[in-house]
Amino acid sequence: MHLGNLCGAVQRWVTSQPAAESDAARDGAAVFCVVDLHALNGPYNPAELRQLTRELTTVLFAAGIDPNRALLFAQSHVAAIHTECTWLLNNVATVGELRRMTQFKDKSDGQESVTAGLFDYPVLMAADILLYDTEEVPVGDDQRQHVELTRDIAIRFNGRFGDTFTVPKATLPPSGARIMDLQQPSKKMSKSDGDSPGCVFILDDPKQIAKKIKTAVTDSETEIRYDTKAKPGISNLLDIYAACTHQSVAHAETQFSGQRYGDLKVAVADAVIEMLAPIQQRYHELSAEPGEVDRLLARGAARARERSAPVLERVRDAMGLLAPMR
Ligand code: AMP
């Protein structure tokens, strides 16, 4: 998990959890999923995938996802339900709309061979969302188009087969919706680039973080001003600062007005390190408890099956599949 994931999505996953002991918490109203089935659609190393799935889950718990207030599970642990729903939705989604997905265009561009999984990935994502009667999907800007597609699929399905799905909407954060790469601020920060100096990972140590931010690409001017077109590097640093300190970009811009680029970089590095320190500490504590994360995942999967199985039944019934005799 990197800084973009935290600022764009996970910070709000944490704050959107219902209060402990509330009806919403008991009903499993907040649902989060580690999408390991999605991770299969490009080249990967199976042993590493297993290790990264556990690591990402641990980071999410460390970041504040609370198993008593929310439901967190691995997608592949509820695979029968998620993939069956995907197959059913594949008959409502169209090839034309999947071809228009920016992420598919970007990831398939120039590739000799593209997996069917990469093409169909947004339909699996639609199933992930629709199976839980989701109203709001807190995502970063890059996933907005996939949530729009999910809406279109749900609306089309409801129109053709009767009211079955809750129609969800994407919600974006006020700052940090698109954190950019520190070395190439015209492209988003992404895990696909591996351990690059442009990407701050949640488990990077303070020295690495300070170095990555200190060497961030800026511009040849000296004025600190938010202007994503003319000053993408400085604007990205302001955005990161605002997201880490929970204030608006305009406020951050005023705070640094008249200061030097070096001052901004030191303040951004301090803010990121301060935000990540407790997460890293909890990560190491949780990692030291063998079996704990796997146990929490098993509990999450059992609850996710309870939540999603009746929705899948609704979909099967609406589409005219014969119910098996019980
Ligand atoms: P992914 O990296 O595709 O697994 O994304 C997980 C969540 O993080 C999604 O909600 C994305 O929209 C969000 N996200 C990914 N990269 C960024 C970024 N560079 N800036 C802000 N949000 C991001």
Side-chain angles (χ1 to χ4, degrees):
M1 188 160 117
H2 57 72
L3 190 60
N5 300 137
L6 188 63
C7 297
V10 177
Q11 272 186 338
R12 284 173 308 133
W13 295 11
V14 172
T15 52
S16 69
Q17 295 175 102
E21 319 270 312
S22 63
D23 287 346
R26 267 189 292 277
D27 294 346
V31 183
F32 307 110
C33 176
V34 175
V35 290
D36 52 352
L37 293 176
H38 283 292
L40 310 177
N41 66 31
Y44 71 95
N45 171 327
E48 195 182 40
L49 174 65
R50 242 186 307 276
Q51 181 234 322
L52 286 175
T53 302
R54 197 175 277 122
E55 179 184 297
L56 176 58
T57 309
T58 312
V59 173
L60 288 170
F61 283 127
I65 300 298
D66 177 349
N68 295 316
R69 296 163 62 204
L71 211 147
L72 175 64
F73 62 98
Q75 192 181 30
S76 66
H77 294 179
V78 193
I81 293 174
H82 284 235
T83 56
E84 181 176 342
C85 187
T86 303
W87 179 253
L88 299 177
L89 296 180
N90 271 336
N91 300 291
V92 177
T94 68
V95 167
E97 61 194 350
L98 292 178
R99 259 203 210 114
R100 283 195 292 277
M101 293 298 110
T102 312
Q103 290 218 9
F104 173 71
K105 286 198 264 188
D106 289 349
K107 288 192 177 163
S108 59
D109 189 34
Q111 301 294 323
E112 238 174 61
S113 156
V114 172
T115 65
L118 181 67
F119 185 63
D120 203 34
Y121 153 100
V123 183
L124 177 57
M125 179 166 162
D128 298 339
I129 296 169
L130 297 175
L131 278 167
Y132 297 87
D133 287 329
T134 310
E135 287 163 3
E136 291 191 358
V137 193
V139 282
D141 188 54
D142 61 334
Q143 289 289 354
R144 192 202 314 228
Q145 194 187 28
H146 288 163
V147 182
E148 280 302 317
L149 174 71
T150 303
R151 282 176 66 84
D152 291 344
I153 292 173
I155 291 168
R156 196 176 312 138
F157 189 105
N158 288 349
R160 182 162 163 207
F161 297 110
D163 239 4
T164 306
F165 287 125
T166 301
V167 179
K169 70 168 196 287
T171 61
L172 297 178
S175 54
R178 184 176 281 265
I179 300 291
M180 308 307 273
D181 186 281
L182 295 169
Q183 290 298 317
Q184 299 175 64
S186 54
K187 74 187 235 323
K188 70 170 181 175
M189 188 177 279
S190 166
K191 59 185 175 300
S192 334
D193 302 320
D195 192 10
S196 93
C199 181
V200 173
F201 289 96
I202 303 307
L203 298 178
D204 279 351
D205 67 45
K207 254 186 162 164
Q208 284 172 301
I209 297 171
K211 187 169 171 207
K212 286 179 180 178
I213 292 172
K214 192 171 163 209
T215 53
V217 166
T218 52
D219 53 63
S220 55
E221 297 177 7
T222 54
E223 189 193 3
I224 296 180
R225 177 166 55 83
Y226 191 79
D227 180 339
T228 51
K229 287 234 158 57
K231 301 172 82 68
I234 289 295
S235 305
N236 190 35
L237 290 174
L238 284 170
D239 213 12
I240 293 173
Y241 185 79
C244 293
T245 56
H246 310 291
Q247 58 173 299
S248 68
V249 170
H251 192 269
E253 196 179 15
T254 315
Q255 181 182 334
F256 290 103
S257 144
Q259 296 199 36
R260 291 171 306 183
Y261 284 5
D263 301 327
L264 173 64
K265 284 181 169 179
V266 169
V268 173
D270 287 349
V272 173
I273 291 166
E274 193 179 327
M275 177 175 70
L276 297 186
I279 300 178
Q280 296 183 350
Q281 191 188 331
R282 279 198 297 273
Y283 173 83
H284 293 300
E285 286 164 7
L286 251 180
S287 308
E289 290 181 50
E292 177 63 1
V293 166
D294 289 10
R295 194 181 63 73
L296 291 173
L297 275 179
R299 181 173 141 199
R303 294 193 68 202
R305 273 183 227 114
E306 274 169 29
R307 280 281 316 269
S308 55
V311 180
L312 182 63
E313 283 303 314
R314 232 157 61 200
V315 181
R316 290 171 54 98
D317 185 49
M319 290 185 87
L321 295 174
L322 183 65
M325 206 168 93
R326 291 190 202 281

PDB file of all heavy atoms in Angstrom, residues 2-10 12-13 35 103 107 121 138-144 176-181 188-191, ligand 1:
ATOM      1  N   HIS A   2       0.512   2.249  -0.772  1.00  0.00           N
ATOM      2  CA  HIS A   2       1.317   3.471  -0.848  1.00  0.00           C
ATOM      3  C   HIS A   2       0.509   4.675  -0.352  1.00  0.00           C
ATOM      4  O   HIS A   2      -0.689   4.558  -0.049  1.00  0.00           O
ATOM      5  CB  HIS A   2       1.876   3.686  -2.259  1.00  0.00           C
ATOM      6  CG  HIS A   2       0.831   3.739  -3.338  1.00  0.00           C
ATOM      7  ND1 HIS A   2      -0.023   4.797  -3.491  1.00  0.00           N
ATOM      8  CD2 HIS A   2       0.515   2.855  -4.317  1.00  0.00           C
ATOM      9  CE1 HIS A   2      -0.823   4.567  -4.526  1.00  0.00           C
ATOM     10  NE2 HIS A   2      -0.514   3.394  -5.033  1.00  0.00           N
ATOM     11  N   LEU A   3       1.206   5.808  -0.320  1.00  0.00           N
ATOM     12  CA  LEU A   3       0.606   7.029   0.214  1.00  0.00           C
ATOM     13  C   LEU A   3      -0.681   7.425  -0.539  1.00  0.00           C
ATOM     14  O   LEU A   3      -1.634   7.922   0.066  1.00  0.00           O
ATOM     15  CB  LEU A   3       1.657   8.151   0.103  1.00  0.00           C
ATOM     16  CG  LEU A   3       1.367   9.452   0.797  1.00  0.00           C
ATOM     17  CD1 LEU A   3       1.198   9.253   2.295  1.00  0.00           C
ATOM     18  CD2 LEU A   3       2.510  10.442   0.536  1.00  0.00           C
ATOM     19  N   GLY A   4      -0.701   7.196  -1.849  1.00  0.00           N
ATOM     20  CA  GLY A   4      -1.897   7.513  -2.649  1.00  0.00           C
ATOM     21  C   GLY A   4      -3.098   6.710  -2.183  1.00  0.00           C
ATOM     22  O   GLY A   4      -4.207   7.247  -2.036  1.00  0.00           O
ATOM     23  N   ASN A   5      -2.907   5.419  -1.925  1.00  0.00           N
ATOM     24  CA  ASN A   5      -4.014   4.576  -1.448  1.00  0.00           C
ATOM     25  C   ASN A   5      -4.551   5.100  -0.116  1.00  0.00           C
ATOM     26  O   ASN A   5      -5.761   5.156   0.104  1.00  0.00           O
ATOM     27  CB  ASN A   5      -3.557   3.122  -1.227  1.00  0.00           C
ATOM     28  CG  ASN A   5      -3.018   2.444  -2.468  1.00  0.00           C
ATOM     29  OD1 ASN A   5      -2.002   1.760  -2.410  1.00  0.00           O
ATOM     30  ND2 ASN A   5      -3.648   2.643  -3.600  1.00  0.00           N
ATOM     31  N   LEU A   6      -3.609   5.494   0.764  1.00  0.00           N
ATOM     32  CA  LEU A   6      -4.011   5.956   2.099  1.00  0.00           C
ATOM     33  C   LEU A   6      -4.793   7.270   2.002  1.00  0.00           C
ATOM     34  O   LEU A   6      -5.880   7.405   2.567  1.00  0.00           O
ATOM     35  CB  LEU A   6      -2.770   6.132   2.986  1.00  0.00           C
ATOM     36  CG  LEU A   6      -3.027   6.424   4.449  1.00  0.00           C
ATOM     37  CD1 LEU A   6      -3.756   5.269   5.132  1.00  0.00           C
ATOM     38  CD2 LEU A   6      -1.724   6.698   5.200  1.00  0.00           C
ATOM     39  N   CYS A   7      -4.233   8.236   1.244  1.00  0.00           N
ATOM     40  CA  CYS A   7      -4.888   9.556   1.162  1.00  0.00           C
ATOM     41  C   CYS A   7      -6.161   9.488   0.309  1.00  0.00           C
ATOM     42  O   CYS A   7      -7.162  10.126   0.619  1.00  0.00           O
ATOM     43  CB  CYS A   7      -3.937  10.585   0.551  1.00  0.00           C
ATOM     44  SG  CYS A   7      -2.476  10.870   1.543  1.00  0.00           S
ATOM     45  N   GLY A   8      -6.114   8.723  -0.775  1.00  0.00           N
ATOM     46  CA  GLY A   8      -7.259   8.686  -1.695  1.00  0.00           C
ATOM     47  C   GLY A   8      -8.420   7.883  -1.133  1.00  0.00           C
ATOM     48  O   GLY A   8      -9.582   8.232  -1.359  1.00  0.00           O
ATOM     49  N   ALA A   9      -8.123   6.804  -0.413  1.00  0.00           N
ATOM     50  CA  ALA A   9      -9.219   5.922  -0.022  1.00  0.00           C
ATOM     51  C   ALA A   9      -9.192   5.512   1.457  1.00  0.00           C
ATOM     52  O   ALA A   9     -10.168   5.713   2.181  1.00  0.00           O
ATOM     53  CB  ALA A   9      -9.192   4.669  -0.909  1.00  0.00           C
ATOM     54  N   VAL A  10      -8.084   4.951   1.906  1.00  0.00           N
ATOM     55  CA  VAL A  10      -8.105   4.230   3.192  1.00  0.00           C
ATOM     56  C   VAL A  10      -8.357   5.140   4.396  1.00  0.00           C
ATOM     57  O   VAL A  10      -9.041   4.750   5.344  1.00  0.00           O
ATOM     58  CB  VAL A  10      -6.812   3.387   3.349  1.00  0.00           C
ATOM     59  CG1 VAL A  10      -6.765   2.690   4.697  1.00  0.00           C
ATOM     60  CG2 VAL A  10      -6.729   2.358   2.220  1.00  0.00           C
ATOM     61  N   ARG A  12     -10.415   7.481   4.559  1.00  0.00           N
ATOM     62  CA  ARG A  12     -11.870   7.616   4.699  1.00  0.00           C
ATOM     63  C   ARG A  12     -12.532   6.288   5.046  1.00  0.00           C
ATOM     64  O   ARG A  12     -13.611   6.258   5.600  1.00  0.00           O
ATOM     65  CB  ARG A  12     -12.484   8.230   3.446  1.00  0.00           C
ATOM     66  CG  ARG A  12     -12.233   9.746   3.392  1.00  0.00           C
ATOM     67  CD  ARG A  12     -12.672  10.330   2.083  1.00  0.00           C
ATOM     68  NE  ARG A  12     -12.098   9.621   0.974  1.00  0.00           N
ATOM     69  CZ  ARG A  12     -12.765   9.208  -0.092  1.00  0.00           C
ATOM     70  NH1 ARG A  12     -14.040   9.463  -0.208  1.00  0.00           N
ATOM     71  NH2 ARG A  12     -12.150   8.557  -1.063  1.00  0.00           N
ATOM     72  N   TRP A  13     -11.883   5.167   4.667  1.00  0.00           N
ATOM     73  CA  TRP A  13     -12.431   3.871   5.104  1.00  0.00           C
ATOM     74  C   TRP A  13     -12.441   3.866   6.638  1.00  0.00           C
ATOM     75  O   TRP A  13     -13.411   3.432   7.255  1.00  0.00           O
ATOM     76  CB  TRP A  13     -11.563   2.707   4.643  1.00  0.00           C
ATOM     77  CG  TRP A  13     -11.491   2.495   3.171  1.00  0.00           C
ATOM     78  CD1 TRP A  13     -11.934   3.315   2.174  1.00  0.00           C
ATOM     79  CD2 TRP A  13     -10.927   1.338   2.515  1.00  0.00           C
ATOM     80  NE1 TRP A  13     -11.664   2.747   0.958  1.00  0.00           N
ATOM     81  CE2 TRP A  13     -11.054   1.547   1.140  1.00  0.00           C
ATOM     82  CE3 TRP A  13     -10.320   0.179   2.975  1.00  0.00           C
ATOM     83  CZ2 TRP A  13     -10.593   0.622   0.201  1.00  0.00           C
ATOM     84  CZ3 TRP A  13      -9.864  -0.750   2.054  1.00  0.00           C
ATOM     85  CH2 TRP A  13     -10.007  -0.522   0.679  1.00  0.00           C
ATOM     86  N   VAL A  35      -8.461  -7.165  -2.605  1.00  0.00           N
ATOM     87  CA  VAL A  35      -8.911  -7.750  -3.878  1.00  0.00           C
ATOM     88  C   VAL A  35      -7.822  -8.606  -4.542  1.00  0.00           C
ATOM     89  O   VAL A  35      -7.309  -8.279  -5.606  1.00  0.00           O
ATOM     90  CB  VAL A  35      -9.461  -6.653  -4.824  1.00  0.00           C
ATOM     91  CG1 VAL A  35     -10.774  -6.125  -4.298  1.00  0.00           C
ATOM     92  CG2 VAL A  35      -8.478  -5.509  -5.002  1.00  0.00           C
ATOM     93  N   GLN A 103      -8.286   2.742 -17.324  1.00  0.00           N
ATOM     94  CA  GLN A 103      -7.249   1.875 -16.748  1.00  0.00           C
ATOM     95  C   GLN A 103      -6.940   0.712 -17.693  1.00  0.00           C
ATOM     96  O   GLN A 103      -5.789   0.310 -17.825  1.00  0.00           O
ATOM     97  CB  GLN A 103      -7.715   1.320 -15.400  1.00  0.00           C
ATOM     98  CG  GLN A 103      -7.762   2.387 -14.350  1.00  0.00           C
ATOM     99  CD  GLN A 103      -7.299   1.873 -12.973  1.00  0.00           C
ATOM    100  OE1 GLN A 103      -6.793   0.788 -12.828  1.00  0.00           O
ATOM    101  NE2 GLN A 103      -7.496   2.700 -11.963  1.00  0.00           N
ATOM    102  N   LYS A 107      -3.282   0.153 -19.207  1.00  0.00           N
ATOM    103  CA  LYS A 107      -2.523  -1.064 -18.876  1.00  0.00           C
ATOM    104  C   LYS A 107      -2.329  -1.967 -20.083  1.00  0.00           C
ATOM    105  O   LYS A 107      -1.381  -2.755 -20.126  1.00  0.00           O
ATOM    106  CB  LYS A 107      -3.219  -1.835 -17.743  1.00  0.00           C
ATOM    107  CG  LYS A 107      -3.086  -1.124 -16.412  1.00  0.00           C
ATOM    108  CD  LYS A 107      -3.497  -1.984 -15.254  1.00  0.00           C
ATOM    109  CE  LYS A 107      -3.270  -1.262 -13.945  1.00  0.00           C
ATOM    110  NZ  LYS A 107      -3.981  -1.819 -12.826  1.00  0.00           N
ATOM    111  N   TYR A 121     -11.940  -7.015 -15.386  1.00  0.00           N
ATOM    112  CA  TYR A 121     -11.715  -6.571 -14.012  1.00  0.00           C
ATOM    113  C   TYR A 121     -12.799  -5.620 -13.494  1.00  0.00           C
ATOM    114  O   TYR A 121     -13.294  -5.786 -12.373  1.00  0.00           O
ATOM    115  CB  TYR A 121     -10.302  -5.975 -13.969  1.00  0.00           C
ATOM    116  CG  TYR A 121      -9.975  -4.923 -12.958  1.00  0.00           C
ATOM    117  CD1 TYR A 121      -9.287  -5.244 -11.791  1.00  0.00           C
ATOM    118  CD2 TYR A 121     -10.295  -3.589 -13.173  1.00  0.00           C
ATOM    119  CE1 TYR A 121      -8.944  -4.269 -10.873  1.00  0.00           C
ATOM    120  CE2 TYR A 121      -9.956  -2.611 -12.256  1.00  0.00           C
ATOM    121  CZ  TYR A 121      -9.287  -2.952 -11.110  1.00  0.00           C
ATOM    122  OH  TYR A 121      -8.960  -1.986 -10.200  1.00  0.00           O
ATOM    123  N   PRO A 138     -15.909   4.898  -1.185  1.00  0.00           N
ATOM    124  CA  PRO A 138     -14.836   5.888  -1.045  1.00  0.00           C
ATOM    125  C   PRO A 138     -13.614   5.445  -1.859  1.00  0.00           C
ATOM    126  O   PRO A 138     -12.951   4.479  -1.502  1.00  0.00           O
ATOM    127  CB  PRO A 138     -14.516   5.874   0.461  1.00  0.00           C
ATOM    128  CG  PRO A 138     -15.448   4.886   1.087  1.00  0.00           C
ATOM    129  CD  PRO A 138     -16.027   4.056   0.007  1.00  0.00           C
ATOM    130  N   VAL A 139     -13.364   6.125  -2.957  1.00  0.00           N
ATOM    131  CA  VAL A 139     -12.245   5.764  -3.843  1.00  0.00           C
ATOM    132  C   VAL A 139     -11.421   6.999  -4.192  1.00  0.00           C
ATOM    133  O   VAL A 139     -11.856   8.131  -3.981  1.00  0.00           O
ATOM    134  CB  VAL A 139     -12.747   5.167  -5.185  1.00  0.00           C
ATOM    135  CG1 VAL A 139     -13.184   3.728  -5.043  1.00  0.00           C
ATOM    136  CG2 VAL A 139     -13.840   6.028  -5.807  1.00  0.00           C
ATOM    137  N   GLY A 140     -10.249   6.752  -4.767  1.00  0.00           N
ATOM    138  CA  GLY A 140      -9.461   7.832  -5.349  1.00  0.00           C
ATOM    139  C   GLY A 140     -10.006   8.140  -6.737  1.00  0.00           C
ATOM    140  O   GLY A 140     -10.840   7.396  -7.274  1.00  0.00           O
ATOM    141  N   ASP A 141      -9.524   9.228  -7.309  1.00  0.00           N
ATOM    142  CA  ASP A 141     -10.040   9.713  -8.588  1.00  0.00           C
ATOM    143  C   ASP A 141      -9.915   8.668  -9.703  1.00  0.00           C
ATOM    144  O   ASP A 141     -10.776   8.559 -10.580  1.00  0.00           O
ATOM    145  CB  ASP A 141      -9.263  10.987  -8.951  1.00  0.00           C
ATOM    146  CG  ASP A 141      -9.854  11.676 -10.148  1.00  0.00           C
ATOM    147  OD1 ASP A 141     -11.064  11.952 -10.125  1.00  0.00           O
ATOM    148  OD2 ASP A 141      -9.110  11.902 -11.127  1.00  0.00           O
ATOM    149  N   ASP A 142      -8.821   7.856  -9.656  1.00  0.00           N
ATOM    150  CA  ASP A 142      -8.596   6.892 -10.743  1.00  0.00           C
ATOM    151  C   ASP A 142      -9.659   5.801 -10.801  1.00  0.00           C
ATOM    152  O   ASP A 142      -9.808   5.145 -11.821  1.00  0.00           O
ATOM    153  CB  ASP A 142      -7.195   6.253 -10.608  1.00  0.00           C
ATOM    154  CG  ASP A 142      -7.034   5.479  -9.306  1.00  0.00           C
ATOM    155  OD1 ASP A 142      -7.732   5.795  -8.323  1.00  0.00           O
ATOM    156  OD2 ASP A 142      -6.222   4.545  -9.272  1.00  0.00           O
ATOM    157  N   GLN A 143     -10.386   5.595  -9.704  1.00  0.00           N
ATOM    158  CA  GLN A 143     -11.408   4.542  -9.698  1.00  0.00           C
ATOM    159  C   GLN A 143     -12.816   5.099  -9.920  1.00  0.00           C
ATOM    160  O   GLN A 143     -13.783   4.344  -9.925  1.00  0.00           O
ATOM    161  CB  GLN A 143     -11.364   3.764  -8.372  1.00  0.00           C
ATOM    162  CG  GLN A 143     -10.149   2.869  -8.219  1.00  0.00           C
ATOM    163  CD  GLN A 143     -10.195   1.648  -9.138  1.00  0.00           C
ATOM    164  OE1 GLN A 143     -11.179   1.401  -9.822  1.00  0.00           O
ATOM    165  NE2 GLN A 143      -9.115   0.891  -9.168  1.00  0.00           N
ATOM    166  N   ARG A 144     -12.913   6.400 -10.124  1.00  0.00           N
ATOM    167  CA  ARG A 144     -14.236   7.001 -10.287  1.00  0.00           C
ATOM    168  C   ARG A 144     -14.969   6.396 -11.501  1.00  0.00           C
ATOM    169  O   ARG A 144     -16.155   6.098 -11.457  1.00  0.00           O
ATOM    170  CB  ARG A 144     -14.075   8.507 -10.476  1.00  0.00           C
ATOM    171  CG  ARG A 144     -15.377   9.257 -10.363  1.00  0.00           C
ATOM    172  CD  ARG A 144     -15.337  10.576 -11.046  1.00  0.00           C
ATOM    173  NE  ARG A 144     -14.166  11.368 -10.777  1.00  0.00           N
ATOM    174  CZ  ARG A 144     -14.195  12.648 -10.443  1.00  0.00           C
ATOM    175  NH1 ARG A 144     -15.345  13.241 -10.277  1.00  0.00           N
ATOM    176  NH2 ARG A 144     -13.103  13.326 -10.305  1.00  0.00           N
ATOM    177  N   GLY A 176      -6.016  14.961  -1.897  1.00  0.00           N
ATOM    178  CA  GLY A 176      -5.396  13.635  -1.987  1.00  0.00           C
ATOM    179  C   GLY A 176      -6.154  12.651  -2.859  1.00  0.00           C
ATOM    180  O   GLY A 176      -5.888  11.455  -2.805  1.00  0.00           O
ATOM    181  N   ALA A 177      -7.106  13.134  -3.688  1.00  0.00           N
ATOM    182  CA  ALA A 177      -7.875  12.211  -4.542  1.00  0.00           C
ATOM    183  C   ALA A 177      -6.999  11.604  -5.634  1.00  0.00           C
ATOM    184  O   ALA A 177      -7.292  10.537  -6.157  1.00  0.00           O
ATOM    185  CB  ALA A 177      -9.057  12.934  -5.171  1.00  0.00           C
ATOM    186  N   ARG A 178      -5.931  12.321  -6.009  1.00  0.00           N
ATOM    187  CA  ARG A 178      -4.994  11.795  -7.003  1.00  0.00           C
ATOM    188  C   ARG A 178      -3.590  12.244  -6.619  1.00  0.00           C
ATOM    189  O   ARG A 178      -3.146  13.322  -7.029  1.00  0.00           O
ATOM    190  CB  ARG A 178      -5.377  12.280  -8.410  1.00  0.00           C
ATOM    191  CG  ARG A 178      -4.496  11.703  -9.511  1.00  0.00           C
ATOM    192  CD  ARG A 178      -4.966  12.125 -10.883  1.00  0.00           C
ATOM    193  NE  ARG A 178      -6.097  11.338 -11.324  1.00  0.00           N
ATOM    194  CZ  ARG A 178      -5.987  10.256 -12.103  1.00  0.00           C
ATOM    195  NH1 ARG A 178      -4.826   9.861 -12.527  1.00  0.00           N
ATOM    196  NH2 ARG A 178      -7.063   9.602 -12.462  1.00  0.00           N
ATOM    197  N   ILE A 179      -2.923  11.441  -5.804  1.00  0.00           N
ATOM    198  CA  ILE A 179      -1.540  11.742  -5.426  1.00  0.00           C
ATOM    199  C   ILE A 179      -0.665  11.340  -6.608  1.00  0.00           C
ATOM    200  O   ILE A 179      -0.812  10.250  -7.165  1.00  0.00           O
ATOM    201  CB  ILE A 179      -1.144  10.962  -4.146  1.00  0.00           C
ATOM    202  CG1 ILE A 179      -2.049  11.337  -2.961  1.00  0.00           C
ATOM    203  CG2 ILE A 179       0.329  11.183  -3.811  1.00  0.00           C
ATOM    204  CD1 ILE A 179      -1.884  12.722  -2.428  1.00  0.00           C
ATOM    205  N   MET A 180       0.238  12.237  -6.977  1.00  0.00           N
ATOM    206  CA  MET A 180       1.049  11.985  -8.157  1.00  0.00           C
ATOM    207  C   MET A 180       2.416  11.421  -7.780  1.00  0.00           C
ATOM    208  O   MET A 180       2.865  11.546  -6.630  1.00  0.00           O
ATOM    209  CB  MET A 180       1.226  13.294  -8.953  1.00  0.00           C
ATOM    210  CG  MET A 180      -0.065  14.010  -9.257  1.00  0.00           C
ATOM    211  SD  MET A 180      -1.306  12.974 -10.052  1.00  0.00           S
ATOM    212  CE  MET A 180      -0.841  13.192 -11.749  1.00  0.00           C
ATOM    213  N   ASP A 181       3.075  10.807  -8.760  1.00  0.00           N
ATOM    214  CA  ASP A 181       4.419  10.259  -8.567  1.00  0.00           C
ATOM    215  C   ASP A 181       5.377  11.411  -8.248  1.00  0.00           C
ATOM    216  O   ASP A 181       5.330  12.466  -8.892  1.00  0.00           O
ATOM    217  CB  ASP A 181       4.823   9.554  -9.870  1.00  0.00           C
ATOM    218  CG  ASP A 181       6.131   8.816  -9.743  1.00  0.00           C
ATOM    219  OD1 ASP A 181       7.192   9.477  -9.804  1.00  0.00           O
ATOM    220  OD2 ASP A 181       6.092   7.593  -9.587  1.00  0.00           O
ATOM    221  N   LYS A 188       0.069   9.348 -11.943  1.00  0.00           N
ATOM    222  CA  LYS A 188      -0.333   9.090 -10.549  1.00  0.00           C
ATOM    223  C   LYS A 188       0.666   8.177  -9.845  1.00  0.00           C
ATOM    224  O   LYS A 188       1.321   7.353 -10.493  1.00  0.00           O
ATOM    225  CB  LYS A 188      -1.740   8.487 -10.498  1.00  0.00           C
ATOM    226  CG  LYS A 188      -1.825   7.090 -11.021  1.00  0.00           C
ATOM    227  CD  LYS A 188      -3.180   6.444 -10.742  1.00  0.00           C
ATOM    228  CE  LYS A 188      -3.104   5.021 -11.296  1.00  0.00           C
ATOM    229  NZ  LYS A 188      -4.211   4.173 -11.063  1.00  0.00           N
ATOM    230  N   MET A 189       0.774   8.348  -8.531  1.00  0.00           N
ATOM    231  CA  MET A 189       1.610   7.448  -7.729  1.00  0.00           C
ATOM    232  C   MET A 189       1.004   6.057  -7.841  1.00  0.00           C
ATOM    233  O   MET A 189      -0.205   5.896  -7.695  1.00  0.00           O
ATOM    234  CB  MET A 189       1.612   7.930  -6.270  1.00  0.00           C
ATOM    235  CG  MET A 189       2.592   7.181  -5.399  1.00  0.00           C
ATOM    236  SD  MET A 189       2.634   7.846  -3.707  1.00  0.00           S
ATOM    237  CE  MET A 189       3.682   9.267  -3.873  1.00  0.00           C
ATOM    238  N   SER A 190       1.852   5.069  -8.127  1.00  0.00           N
ATOM    239  CA  SER A 190       1.301   3.741  -8.373  1.00  0.00           C
ATOM    240  C   SER A 190       2.255   2.651  -7.925  1.00  0.00           C
ATOM    241  O   SER A 190       3.474   2.790  -8.044  1.00  0.00           O
ATOM    242  CB  SER A 190       1.026   3.605  -9.875  1.00  0.00           C
ATOM    243  OG  SER A 190       0.805   2.270 -10.205  1.00  0.00           O
ATOM    244  N   LYS A 191       1.653   1.540  -7.425  1.00  0.00           N
ATOM    245  CA  LYS A 191       2.474   0.419  -6.975  1.00  0.00           C
ATOM    246  C   LYS A 191       3.077  -0.324  -8.167  1.00  0.00           C
ATOM    247  O   LYS A 191       4.047  -1.056  -8.015  1.00  0.00           O
ATOM    248  CB  LYS A 191       1.648  -0.544  -6.123  1.00  0.00           C
ATOM    249  CG  LYS A 191       0.450  -1.131  -6.847  1.00  0.00           C
ATOM    250  CD  LYS A 191      -0.395  -1.976  -5.915  1.00  0.00           C
ATOM    251  CE  LYS A 191      -1.661  -2.474  -6.564  1.00  0.00           C
ATOM    252  NZ  LYS A 191      -2.607  -1.479  -7.049  1.00  0.00           N
TER     253      LYS A 191
HETATM  254  P1  AMP B   1      -5.437   0.256  -6.054  1.00  0.00           P
HETATM  255  O1  AMP B   1      -4.049   0.798  -5.936  1.00  0.00           O
HETATM  256  O2  AMP B   1      -5.903   0.254  -7.448  1.00  0.00           O
HETATM  257  O3  AMP B   1      -5.631  -1.032  -5.345  1.00  0.00           O
HETATM  258  O4  AMP B   1      -6.371   1.322  -5.331  1.00  0.00           O
HETATM  259  C1  AMP B   1      -6.871   1.256  -4.013  1.00  0.00           C
HETATM  260  C2  AMP B   1      -7.560   2.590  -3.710  1.00  0.00           C
HETATM  261  O5  AMP B   1      -6.575   3.651  -3.691  1.00  0.00           O
HETATM  262  C3  AMP B   1      -8.579   2.992  -4.787  1.00  0.00           C
HETATM  263  O6  AMP B   1      -9.678   3.614  -4.156  1.00  0.00           O
HETATM  264  C4  AMP B   1      -7.835   3.990  -5.640  1.00  0.00           C
HETATM  265  O7  AMP B   1      -8.704   4.923  -6.262  1.00  0.00           O
HETATM  266  C5  AMP B   1      -6.937   4.673  -4.610  1.00  0.00           C
HETATM  267  N1  AMP B   1      -5.698   5.173  -5.242  1.00  0.00           N
HETATM  268  C6  AMP B   1      -4.778   4.437  -5.945  1.00  0.00           C
HETATM  269  N2  AMP B   1      -3.754   5.222  -6.367  1.00  0.00           N
HETATM  270  C7  AMP B   1      -4.029   6.477  -5.915  1.00  0.00           C
HETATM  271  C8  AMP B   1      -3.343   7.733  -6.010  1.00  0.00           C
HETATM  272  N3  AMP B   1      -2.184   7.842  -6.649  1.00  0.00           N
HETATM  273  N4  AMP B   1      -3.911   8.821  -5.412  1.00  0.00           N
HETATM  274  C9  AMP B   1      -5.086   8.723  -4.736  1.00  0.00           C
HETATM  275  N5  AMP B   1      -5.789   7.565  -4.616  1.00  0.00           N
HETATM  276  C10 AMP B   1      -5.266   6.452  -5.188  1.00  0.00           C
END
